[in-house]
């Protein structure tokens, strides 16, 4: 597969982010989701998918290719950095935990996509599909979360329309620079894992409130299953 095709795959996977946001922005669909608490299910689904990415993809790769001390330090620094980012954003009245978690998942997976193609792996199409399946519900949940803040709708849409570009940039980075740098890629994945884990327990899971139903909590199970299936198919 060529670099151009790889970048196209990464972009298509990223376009699932504004697609999820578009569903969240549609008044009737959003009202239906609120009425039936689908928004809570989707929020949990996003958290489950992120947890699956950490447990089944990012951390195992990091453990395989990094030394114990450097792995622990990278993971810890990721948590500390995103603790400070989250605290700073909250002081500014901005809530973007779901969005940050989505990018922390999307970027290293995009890098892995590019690196996989560069090393001759044939899992690129499957990996791109799984990234897209994760990005759509995470885009829905993060758009809904960020609409509750003080950011203007125009600026919010600009962010979500630019977010897919992170995919091709990450894929190019993995293809051109990190295909043979397993240890660097491992440390990056562990750093992102620490940030994701912090965001899940600080903001994403507590933010999925239900008023009547217990079913939406099954979204976390469904999201993790998606990651489990993807990890097993890829490996």
């Amino acid at each position: 597969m060529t670099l151009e095709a790889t970048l196209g795959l990464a972009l298509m996977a990223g376009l699932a982010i504004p697609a999820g946001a578009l569903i969240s922005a549609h008044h009737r669909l959003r009202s239906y989701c609120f009425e039936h608490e689908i928004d809570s299910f989707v929020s949990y689904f996003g958290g489950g998918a992120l947890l699956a990415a950490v447990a089944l993809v990012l951390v195992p790769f990091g453990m395989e290719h990094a030394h114990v001390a450097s792995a622990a330090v990278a993971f810890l620094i990721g948590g500390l950095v995103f603790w400070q980012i989250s605290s700073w954003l909250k002081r500014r009245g901005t809530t973007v935990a779901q969005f940050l978690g989505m990018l922390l998942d999307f970027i290293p997976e995009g890098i892995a996509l590019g690196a996989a193609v560069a090393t001759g792996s044939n899992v690129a199409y499957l990996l791109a599909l799984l990234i897209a399946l994760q990005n759509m519900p995470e885009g829905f949940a993060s758009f809904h979360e960020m609409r509750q803040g003080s950011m203007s709708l125009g600026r919010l849409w600009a962010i979500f329309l630019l977010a897919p570009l992170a995919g091709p940039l990450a894929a190019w980075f993995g293809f051109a620079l990190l295909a043979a740098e397993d240890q660097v890629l491992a440390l990056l994945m562990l750093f992102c894992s620490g940030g994701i884990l912090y965001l899940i327990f600080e903001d994403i899971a507590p933010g999925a409130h239900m008023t009547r139903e217990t079913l939406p909590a099954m979204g976390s199970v469904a999201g993790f299953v998606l990651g489990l299936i993807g990890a097993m198919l890829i490996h």
Side-chain angles (χ1 to χ4, degrees):
M1 181 183 295
T2 65
L3 174 59
E4 291 76 13
T6 306
L7 300 183
L9 273 181
L11 179 61
M12 289 173 59
L15 288 173
I17 296 173
L22 188 62
I23 296 172
S24 179
H26 191 282
H27 177 70
R28 289 186 179 180
L29 286 175
R30 188 172 68 252
S31 297
Y32 180 86
C33 289
F34 289 163
E35 181 180 352
H36 297 277
E37 296 191 333
I38 297 174
D39 59 311
S40 295
F41 182 93
V42 170
S43 182
Y44 271 110
F45 185 96
L50 289 170
L51 185 58
V54 169
L56 302 172
V57 180
L58 304 180
V59 167
F61 187 91
M63 292 173 64
E64 183 179 354
H65 296 286
H67 298 296
V68 174
S70 58
V73 169
F75 192 93
L76 181 61
I77 291 175
L80 290 171
V81 167
F82 280 86
W83 167 40
Q84 292 302 309
I85 291 174
S86 179
S87 299
W88 178 72
L89 289 171
K90 284 184 177 179
R91 289 196 296 269
R92 292 174 57 89
T94 304
T95 307
V96 294
Q98 191 77 255
F99 184 80
L100 288 175
M102 177 177 61
L103 287 182
L104 282 173
D105 183 15
F106 183 34
I107 290 174
E109 286 184 342
I111 292 173
L113 174 62
V117 174
T119 54
S121 175
N122 59 359
V123 301
Y125 291 103
L126 176 60
L127 183 55
L129 175 62
L130 293 169
I131 294 171
L133 289 174
Q134 289 176 334
N135 279 344
M136 183 170 288
E138 290 168 7
F140 178 100
S142 57
F143 188 87
H144 168 62
E145 178 187 60
M146 291 173 71
R147 286 195 70 177
Q148 312 308 308
S150 57
M151 188 181 300
S152 69
L153 191 59
R155 185 179 178 188
L156 184 58
W157 270 115
I159 291 173
F160 274 80
L161 291 173
L162 288 173
L165 297 179
L169 289 173
W172 172 83
F173 192 71
F175 187 98
L177 301 177
L178 292 185
E181 299 292 340
D182 286 343
Q183 188 171 5
V184 176
L185 184 57
L187 293 175
L188 175 63
M189 288 185 170
L190 287 163
F191 173 87
C192 292
S193 297
I196 290 172
L197 196 63
Y198 172 80
L199 292 170
I200 288 173
F201 284 97
E202 170 62 18
D203 286 305
I204 296 173
H209 299 295
M210 286 82 66
T211 57
R212 300 183 303 275
E213 303 293 339
T214 56
L215 177 63
M218 280 300 297
S220 61
V221 179
F224 196 93
V225 166
L226 171 66
L228 174 64
I229 293 170
M232 294 181 71
L233 287 174
I234 290 171
H235 296 295

